[in-house]
Amino acid sequence: MNPAHYAVVIGINRYPGIRDLQLAKHDAEDFRAWLLAADGGGLPEENVEVVMADQADELGFADPITSRPTLREVNAALIAVTKAVRLRVKEQRSDWDASRLYVYASGHGIAPEDGAAAVLMADADADPMVESYGNSIEISKYTQWYVGCGFFKEVVVFADCCRDRRYTAPGTGPPMARCPEPYGPTNCAIGFATTYATSAYEPTDVQDLDQARGYFTRGLLDGLTGGAATATGEITTLSLADYIAASVQAQTEGKPFTQQPSMPVDAARPIVFRAAGTPAQRHTRAVTLKFPADYAGRVSLISGQDLSETGQSWKAADGAWRVELEEGLYSVRADEPVEGGFAGGGLFRVIAKDADVQL
Amino acid sequence: MSSSEARIRLSSPGECTEIVVIDSCFKTVAYGLAEVDVVVPAGVYQLEFRAGPAVERKLVAVGPGTTYEELHIHVGMPSAAPIEHTSTSHEAHQGIAGELSRELANTTGSSGLVVLVRNLRGSESPELDRGAIAGARVADRDGRPLDGSEDWHFHDADGWASWSATLDPGGYVLRTASSEELAHVQLEQSVWLCEGWQTLIFVPNTGDGPTFSGASIHMTRLHEAWTPWEDTQANLALEAALWGLRDGRSVVSTALVELLLHAKHDNPMLGIVGLHALLLHPADRSKRVGRVLEALEELVPGHPDLGALAWLAEEHAAARVGRSPRPTELAPVDWPPMLRSGYAALLRLDALAPGTIVDGSAAEGIAAGLVARGTWTTWRAREPKPVHFDSVVTDRVASYLSSIAEVHGISRADALEDRADPGQISIATDLPRASVTRALATLHDAESFDE
């Protein structure tokens, strides 16, 4: 359990003034589940503030001005968790060393005229006659406030939203008083779904809404639940940033628009999500290996970690090889000569999704 | 290297390609700009080569005791400036840029400006939009177009248009037509000319016309013509760092830092852009930043971006050790820095140290009209239709006070009376302290603020 970890989770699907999303609330609910899991974030339930509208309420939002959640609710949630940690640390100073704030947001977003990224609230309005994008959380200003006050030792922000430039939409900081000096040196990490001035996406060919996720959040959650574990089982901002980049790149490969997450990390001060020593449990994916028509011989599967034999082999004459593999890089070695060699030298990658590999 | 290990040697000589080696757990095991030489466990690795927006990836298997080498990696980096080893350079554009720069070098002025709009090699080579290009005018500090600023030279066959002049040092604006996002609104972009230097602004011409947001800006000594085929490494480093800034990424290697320390003599813009790139990364770079800043202050004293960088460095250092940044002694700034992130930094300093931004100056006035258009500080033009920025400022301050009122469950009038800290409001709204103070006074005088 991490009793000094707190979180604000924001998920917004319904935007009467822009365009509804399908998966933002699923993403937020899944992140909340990870926060509360004993083998995940390990937060007590009372430490997690959720800012989302019920589906029943959403159906009644006919126009932006009456829609929620709004910036007011987000500010209220942030104030609640900030007050909670301040009270905790006041009683027990050493709790500051274990304190952390998570902020997760999934919804529409922009890169405002003077900031890095702003998550739009449900009452944002893209109507050119109105254009009130300004009802937003400008992430860099909010994180600057938290660093400036230093109430949490660590602040981790994940923003699964677009960062398209909106020329004249200003980003606004939190309505909380500045602190003359920070309580302590806050280590802050921010993961953006995409680079500045570009869009983040959710899949549109969704068959099962319950399983689908935005690309960034899928990579984030897969990473936090084992995908980003190092050989020692540790998951840090370093390993997570690498994993998310690979996952999102794989998920958006071949799509009309690729997406590149942005998560700069200070290698000297990584934030730890899972300590070393916990056995690493990498995700497995269903992989189908297809062979050239003129190859009927045997193949062996080689681990990309150290080029050792996995012990798995197949006879190409039996057709495509369907196998469950842990995420990673692999090599297929042909036991007999292959005319022209296998495509890609027989090397392939497994991450984020089931794979069809044409050798 | 032990018998179970392997070596990976990758290099893109003369270029600024980002090289990344990723292992089977998707962990980055090596990163370098232009070269990587690393010993790794035998295995399968993903190699990534990135130059600006261009990326190439491949998988390789490296057996125990072997070396995998690729020593001539080339990923064409697009660049608005027509420099060597980029995918978009053009001999004719290099020629005209060099020629214009030579003309300035042979004059007796104290600073010079070249603006070159050009079609990028490899793109669709759209026609030059004469209307949009001729509408781009260099103007003085007050936004008044300079005499002759409409005199662009066009070369349709080679796909370029140019304007150049010797000018007095100081602040100017490059006034341009807007994109479709801001129909019928003209924009102004900050340009600072330094005594003894030429500034060259290279603008890519795209299907949307001249795209000033994607401009690259170089500098050279006034009496030494800019030569795109010399100082290639420095020029490429500047372009790579600019691409990184456009993405919000820090693209600076240790080798590039060394280049910054030495190449500053030839192109201060490399130093300015390079420092922004350094400070974008959370790692501690304070010593290097300090040294480069000192050198730049000797080369281009009074450049508005330098004070901004000094403050960015102080914020960076303060955040690492958990203290408040200490306002530094800075000469008041009356002209906005050329880089947008620099201007944002000055606004934050002004919130803590009122008067950093000179009251009533352009640096103060343009804050409410800022426009998000890439790396360069850009705002809605003040002429010919003056934008009433004062009302924008007041509205923004009022809106923020409403947020404060909501949080505390009080009326807006009470928020104005009891909780209107000008410094806090200045930081939260990215407005200069003087503007906020005036807005608060206006709101105090307004009869119906609490409606």
Side-chain angles (χ1 to χ4, degrees):
Chain A
M1 259 296 160
N2 291 308
H5 287 193
Y6 296 82
V8 172
V9 177
I10 305 156
I12 308 175
N13 276 352
R14 178 91 177 103
Y15 286 92
I18 305 177
R19 174 181 59 84
D20 287 353
L21 296 169
Q22 290 192 86
L23 305 176
K25 282 175 63 179
H26 280 91
D27 289 348
E29 281 158 3
D30 268 3
F31 189 76
R32 175 180 176 272
W34 176 82
L35 285 170
L36 298 178
D39 62 349
L43 275 69
E45 192 165 354
E46 61 270 22
N47 285 16
V48 180
E49 295 279 335
V50 176
V51 183
M52 273 197 269
D54 293 336
Q55 191 167 3
D57 288 344
E58 283 179 330
L59 292 171
F61 298 156
D63 57 66
I65 208 151
T66 56
S67 299
R68 40 173 301 272
T70 63
L71 186 56
R72 177 182 190 169
E73 293 168 70
V74 174
N75 286 332
L78 287 169
I79 286 168
V81 296
T82 306
K83 271 188 186 168
V85 80
R86 292 183 73 180
L87 285 171
R88 171 180 285 276
V89 171
K90 190 174 176 182
E91 275 186 37
Q92 181 82 27
R93 284 182 70 99
S94 60
D95 278 0
W96 185 85
D97 290 312
S99 63
R100 180 183 297 173
L101 171 65
Y102 291 94
V103 178
Y104 173 90
S106 182
H108 279 302
I110 59 170
E113 67 182 33
D114 54 353
V119 182
L120 298 180
M121 295 294 100
D123 55 357
D125 195 341
D127 182 340
M129 301 293 283
V130 178
E131 206 170 312
S132 65
Y133 290 115
N135 301 317
S136 63
I137 313 161
E138 205 291 304
I139 288 169
S140 65
K141 289 187 175 61
Y142 274 72
T143 52
Q144 277 162 20
W145 185 86
Y146 274 101
V147 170
C149 284
F151 294 132
F152 293 91
K153 184 182 179 191
E154 294 171 339
V155 172
V156 183
V157 178
F158 297 118
D160 194 345
C161 58
C162 293
R163 299 170 72 188
D164 298 309
R165 277 200 290 263
R166 283 298 173 258
Y167 289 85
T168 57
T172 311
M176 286 96 84
R178 288 180 301 136
C179 301
E181 282 292 331
Y183 185 85
T186 296
N187 186 8
C188 183
I190 308 176
F192 294 111
T194 187
T195 49
Y196 179 75
T198 56
S199 299
Y201 300 95
E202 55 180 22
T204 53
D205 52 346
V206 172
Q207 303 296 322
D208 182 352
L209 260 183
D210 284 336
Q211 296 301 317
R213 297 293 173 264
Y215 299 122
F216 173 78
T217 296
R218 177 177 285 285
L220 170 65
L221 289 172
D222 282 349
L224 287 170
T225 53
T230 63
T232 60
E234 186 179 55
I235 298 176
T236 68
T237 37
L238 272 173
S239 66
L240 186 62
D242 281 346
Y243 181 86
I244 292 174
S247 171
V248 172
Q249 192 261 315
Q251 292 179 69
T252 57
E253 207 161 38
K255 303 261 182 210
F257 304 102
T258 57
Q259 183 175 322
Q260 182 188 339
S262 173
M263 188 167 167
V265 178
D266 184 354
R269 298 195 300 165
I271 293 175
V272 179
F273 300 106
R274 181 190 290 183
T278 316
Q281 204 167 359
R282 304 187 72 79
H283 300 291
T284 56
R285 308 292 174 190
V287 178
T288 303
L289 298 166
K290 299 173 182 170
F291 302 95
D294 55 356
Y295 184 77
R298 197 147 203 90
V299 295
S300 300
L301 186 63
I302 308 297
S303 164
Q305 286 195 24
D306 53 13
L307 297 183
S308 62
E309 301 264 353
T310 63
Q312 298 183 76
S313 64
W314 184 258
K315 195 163 166 55
D318 293 339
W321 183 10
R322 291 177 181 77
V323 60
E324 287 278 325
L325 292 177
E326 284 188 349
E327 291 184 333
L329 305 179
Y330 293 88
S331 170
V332 172
R333 189 191 66 221
D335 291 349
E336 295 163 29
V338 181
E339 181 75 32
F342 286 145
L347 306 177
F348 64 96
R349 178 181 67 173
V350 178
I351 184 172
K353 57 185 183 177
D354 297 339
D356 272 356
V357 180
Q358 178 61 58
L359 292 169
Chain B
M1 187 166 89
S2 74
S3 58
S4 64
E5 291 176 324
R7 188 175 177 193
I8 297 178
R9 293 183 63 213
L10 305 164
S11 122
S12 60
E15 299 189 6
C16 263
T17 307
E18 292 177 82
I19 300 174
V20 189
V21 178
I22 297 166
D23 71 9
S24 185
C25 293
F26 306 107
K27 179 184 164 195
T28 298
V29 296
Y31 171 89
L33 215 63
E35 64 178 347
V36 157
D37 187 347
V38 64
V39 173
V40 295
V44 177
Y45 291 85
Q46 177 170 300
L47 309 180
E48 271 190 17
F49 311 127
R50 180 183 299 275
V55 186
E56 290 179 12
R57 295 182 178 92
K58 65 196 302 182
L59 295 179
V60 299
V62 281
T66 67
T67 296
Y68 178 87
E69 281 185 343
E70 245 184 276
L71 302 180
H72 298 282
I73 296 162
H74 173 68
V75 179
M77 178 171 65
S79 158
I83 55 182
E84 291 287 285
H85 301 300
T86 58
S87 61
T88 51
S89 190
H90 192 298
E91 224 172 68
H93 302 168
Q94 291 180 334
I96 187 62
E99 186 182 316
L100 293 169
S101 181
R102 264 192 306 279
E103 284 174 11
L104 291 180
N106 293 332
T107 63
T108 55
S110 45
S111 67
L113 176 63
V114 173
V115 186
L116 180 68
V117 177
R118 70 184 198 92
N119 284 335
L120 303 183
R121 180 166 60 89
S123 67
E124 287 176 15
S125 296
E127 280 186 21
L128 296 170
D129 183 341
R130 284 175 177 253
I133 293 172
R137 311 271 299 266
V138 177
D140 65 16
R141 297 172 66 98
D142 298 314
R144 287 186 294 259
L146 301 179
D147 289 339
S149 58
E150 70 279 17
D151 296 335
W152 283 80
H153 300 281
F154 291 85
H155 196 301
D156 292 297
D158 283 344
W160 58 261
S162 71
W163 185 92
S164 62
T166 54
L167 295 167
D168 290 332
Y172 294 84
V173 295
L174 181 55
R175 173 174 287 205
T176 63
S178 64
S179 69
E180 67 282 357
E181 289 270 353
L182 285 170
H184 311 301
V185 173
Q186 284 214 305
L187 303 177
E188 293 180 342
Q189 175 180 326
S190 173
V191 178
W192 181 266
L193 300 184
C194 304
E195 179 155 7
W197 296 89
Q198 301 181 24
T199 297
L200 298 98
I201 302 178
F202 299 102
V203 181
N205 189 48
T206 70
D208 295 325
T211 306
F212 290 90
S213 58
S216 294
I217 301 182
H218 289 239
M219 291 173 71
T220 188
R221 290 194 182 272
L222 179 62
H223 299 299
E224 294 172 17
W226 187 75
T227 46
W229 45 84
E230 290 177 7
D231 294 325
T232 305
Q233 199 180 7
N235 288 334
L236 287 170
L238 171 51
E239 293 295 326
L242 267 178
W243 274 116
L245 290 183
R246 290 178 190 127
D247 281 349
R249 295 187 308 117
S250 175
V251 181
V252 180
S253 69
T254 307
L256 180 58
V257 170
E258 296 306 314
L259 195 57
L260 286 174
L261 291 173
H262 298 110
K264 64 199 182 311
H265 295 291
D266 302 317
N267 188 351
M269 190 53 66
L270 174 61
I272 291 170
V273 169
L275 285 182
H276 274 283
L278 270 178
L279 291 168
L280 206 53
H281 196 279
D284 182 11
R285 309 278 175 97
S286 48
K287 285 181 191 160
R288 292 169 184 154
V289 169
R291 286 169 64 191
V292 179
L293 261 178
E294 278 172 15
L296 283 171
E297 275 156 13
E298 282 192 27
L299 278 183
V300 288
H303 197 299
D305 282 81
L306 300 191
L309 282 165
W311 181 242
L312 272 169
E314 168 59 16
E315 286 181 322
H316 197 269
R320 288 189 63 78
V321 298
R323 61 167 173 83
S324 278
R326 296 181 196 116
T328 47
E329 198 66 41
L330 194 64
V333 177
D334 63 359
W335 189 255
M338 290 175 69
L339 275 87
R340 191 174 66 94
S341 50
Y343 183 58
L346 272 187
L347 287 171
R348 292 192 297 273
L349 175 57
D350 185 67
L352 300 178
T356 297
I357 292 178
V358 173
D359 189 6
S361 69
E364 192 225 331
I366 61 110
L370 268 185
V371 164
R373 195 179 72 166
T375 314
W376 311 109
T377 306
T378 309
W379 58 90
R380 281 169 287 170
R382 296 158 292 167
E383 293 285 348
K385 284 185 186 177
V387 180
H388 295 291
F389 289 158
D390 276 354
S391 64
V392 172
V393 170
T394 307
D395 287 347
R396 202 183 296 183
V397 170
S399 174
Y400 183 67
L401 282 171
S402 296
S403 295
I404 294 177
E406 277 184 349
V407 156
H408 294 283
I410 58 178
S411 71
R412 291 198 296 173
D414 286 343
L416 176 63
E417 196 60 41
D418 300 328
R419 293 185 183 271
D421 172 74
Q424 175 188 340
I425 297 172
S426 179
I427 286 178
T429 59
D430 266 345
L431 293 168
R433 188 76 174 254
S435 302
V436 169
T437 302
R438 275 201 300 278
L440 290 173
T442 302
L443 291 170
H444 270 294
D445 293 340
E447 292 179 0
S448 58
F449 178 56
D450 203 22
E451 292 296 314

